[in-house]
Amino acid sequence: MAEADPNGLLASLPPVPEVTVADAAALDAMLRTAEHPFVVRGLADDWPLVDAGRRSAAAAQDYLLAHHRDRPFPVSVTAPNSDGRLFYDDAMAMNFRMMEAKLPEIFARITEFAELPDAPSIYLASIDAMAYFRGLHEANHIDLGTRDLITSLWIGTRTRIAAHNDVPHNLAVCAVGRRRFTLFPREQFRNLYLGPVDNTPAGRAISMVDFHAPDLDRFPRFAEALASAQVADLQAGDAVYIPALWWHHVEGTEKFNVLVNYWWRDAPRWMGQPQEALNHAMMAIRDLPADQKAHWRDMFDHYVFANDESVVAHIPEGGRGILDPMTPTLAARLRGFLMKALSR
């Protein structure tokens, strides 16, 4: 396995601040006001899955197998000698294969490869807790009140997931093994040297920097990103809160690791995804002449980013259309209009 960060660039990063929460209400209040990441030690210490993992990887696998549904699971498998990194190959294709297999077969391969130094990495990413397991969520969950949650499991061998961000807020619980998160504020995207927007390992653009061997000759601004970075080293039972759109590099550092995460948005699900709007703008605006681009920047500022009362004050109420505050009905109408326009 390659030596992690031989130049020591990440060795002295400050830790993510730790907080103590007395109960679910205290956690809820903290999540509603937090603008920065925080770690809660032992938040899931009472989970049966955590207890099983502390006994052994085999015990954790047996516990998951006792709750799994008999259906194929999506799984990623890297080439040997990948150092756990799920990334691009030299041709900018993925260095892993996507397959499906039953969970007992996947765990058998993980056990088979456990002692091989150059074995492929095996990773089950974003596995829906309710769709793929029965009773697991009920026995192992954090009370997050009335939030509209997506609950997922991330299961695998030693893995390295390149720095990326997610649209929702994220509470990530290390259930088995150990996890290391390296976190960056939203505005650091320029200094992380993002790869393609459309050709991605899992739908989000990722940093092209190898955190085990940062190349500052090729990526000099990465040093600026590190100046605002923080690290969260999680043991089983610990959790980290990652605010929406914060960048995070994630490593599973044991031979077998399980993470349970909860995603939720402040916006309702009927609202569109901002990334889709950005992609459309790349097609429709990015390559226009400079003077036209400047005009559309002003239009976006006026209608989207400023969006104050002056935008609609001169239009009679009842006739403002989608300039009114967005509702599910307006969103559905606008979505239909966009689908018709994009299909031409």
Side-chain angles (χ1 to χ4, degrees):
M1 182 176 291
E3 180 186 0
D5 188 22
N7 299 317
L9 293 172
L10 284 76
S12 59
L13 295 181
V16 173
E18 297 182 17
V19 302
T20 301
V21 293
D23 51 28
L27 177 61
D28 175 75
M30 189 163 292
L31 291 171
R32 290 185 186 281
T33 59
E35 297 180 355
H36 296 86
F38 60 79
V39 166
V40 185
R41 299 291 180 194
L43 184 65
D45 274 349
D46 61 343
W47 284 10
L49 177 58
V50 171
D51 179 66
R54 285 173 176 160
R55 284 184 272 123
S56 68
Q61 292 173 18
D62 288 343
Y63 184 83
L64 291 170
L65 289 173
H67 292 83
H68 86 290
R69 297 183 187 272
D70 185 20
R71 57 174 295 182
F73 281 59
V75 59
S76 303
V77 181
T78 70
N81 302 302
S82 66
D83 190 29
R85 194 180 188 206
L86 283 82
F87 195 66
Y88 300 102
D89 62 18
D90 292 339
M92 290 299 291
M94 300 305 142
N95 73 340
F96 56 89
R97 292 176 297 146
M98 286 291 300
M99 307 179 241
E100 286 192 335
K102 297 291 186 71
L103 194 59
E105 179 185 347
I106 295 170
F107 283 171
R109 293 293 177 269
I110 288 176
T111 301
E112 176 185 343
F113 296 154
E115 302 305 324
L116 300 180
D118 299 323
S121 293
I122 299 174
Y123 191 48
L124 297 91
S126 195
I127 303 298
D128 185 281
M130 272 63 81
Y132 287 86
F133 293 92
R134 184 179 293 105
L136 184 69
H137 170 74
E138 289 75 10
N140 305 266
H141 75 274
I142 303 299
D143 182 358
L144 292 173
T146 59
R147 290 174 176 83
D148 186 10
L149 300 173
I150 296 175
T151 305
S152 303
L153 279 81
W154 310 74
I155 305 168
T157 58
R158 289 190 177 96
T159 52
R160 295 196 284 138
I161 308 303
H164 61 285
N165 73 356
D166 298 304
V167 174
H169 302 292
N170 183 359
L171 183 69
V173 181
C174 179
V176 179
R178 295 173 185 264
R179 276 295 203 288
R180 163 167 282 204
F181 288 79
T182 307
L183 305 176
F184 303 84
R186 298 166 179 169
E187 65 272 13
Q188 290 301 319
F189 67 95
R190 293 180 180 85
N191 298 328
L192 292 172
Y193 295 90
L194 302 182
V197 177
D198 53 335
N199 174 30
T200 71
R204 301 295 296 166
I206 64 172
S207 172
M208 299 297 289
V209 180
D210 183 350
F211 279 40
H212 276 200
D215 183 348
L216 293 188
D217 291 330
R218 183 181 176 192
F219 307 115
R221 293 194 311 275
F222 184 61
E224 297 179 41
L226 289 176
S228 60
Q230 299 175 322
V231 170
D233 283 311
L234 305 185
Q235 301 183 44
D238 297 339
V240 60
Y241 169 64
I242 305 171
L245 300 174
W246 273 63
W247 301 90
H248 46 289
H249 178 276
V250 189
E251 298 183 63
T253 61
E254 296 292 327
K255 294 178 181 178
F256 183 70
N257 305 275
V258 180
L259 184 84
V260 178
N261 90 298
Y262 305 90
W263 275 324
W264 69 93
R265 292 181 65 188
D266 296 323
R269 291 198 185 191
W270 49 260
M271 284 184 63
Q273 291 288 345
Q275 183 66 52
E276 295 169 0
L278 177 62
N279 292 351
H280 188 213
M282 290 182 190
M283 178 181 73
I285 298 174
R286 184 189 61 191
D287 296 328
L288 291 175
D291 62 320
Q292 295 182 35
K293 286 172 65 174
H295 167 75
W296 285 109
R297 180 184 292 115
D298 285 345
M299 293 286 280
F300 270 71
D301 283 341
H302 181 68
Y303 283 109
V304 178
F305 298 108
N307 188 33
D308 57 28
E309 180 60 25
S310 68
V311 173
V312 296
H314 58 286
I315 305 175
E317 290 189 15
R320 294 171 178 175
I322 63 170
L323 296 180
D324 269 333
M326 196 58 59
T327 65
T329 301
L330 279 180
R333 194 170 86 196
L334 182 55
R335 186 174 290 108
F337 173 83
L338 290 172
M339 290 177 66
K340 183 177 180 181
L342 289 171
S343 66
R344 292 172 186 161

